[in-house]
Amino acid sequence: MKKIKVDETTCIGCGACIACAQSNFDFDNERGISKVISNENAESEEVQAAIDSCPVAAISIEEAEVQEAA
């Protein structure tokens, strides 16, 4: 499974990602940056557009660690 990540130290809160993929990103008003709200369709064209539109390259997609059942 893929996981979307926003680098909180790099993000400037411009909102381009939210405009591209509002079902995956939202604005964190407390910190003034974007946050991931859903990893659903992490490999969609919308998420890729958000990655491409980020002016500071703060968004990436990583392979999520799979938790084994106990």
Side-chain angles (χ1 to χ4, degrees), residues 30-41:
E30 283 185 23
R31 298 184 300 170
I33 59 174
S34 295
K35 65 180 179 180
V36 177
I37 57 171
S38 173
N39 284 299
E40 191 169 327
N41 300 316

Side-chain angles (χ1 to χ4, degrees), residues 11-34:
C11 180
I12 59 172
C14 74
C17 59
I18 299 166
C20 293
Q22 62 186 353
S23 63
N24 298 93
F25 299 94
D26 200 359
F27 197 69
D28 184 331
N29 290 321
E30 283 185 23
R31 298 184 300 170
I33 59 174
S34 295

Side-chain angles (χ1 to χ4, degrees), residues 47-59:
V47 172
Q48 187 59 53
I51 292 169
D52 294 342
S53 68
C54 181
V56 293
I59 306 168

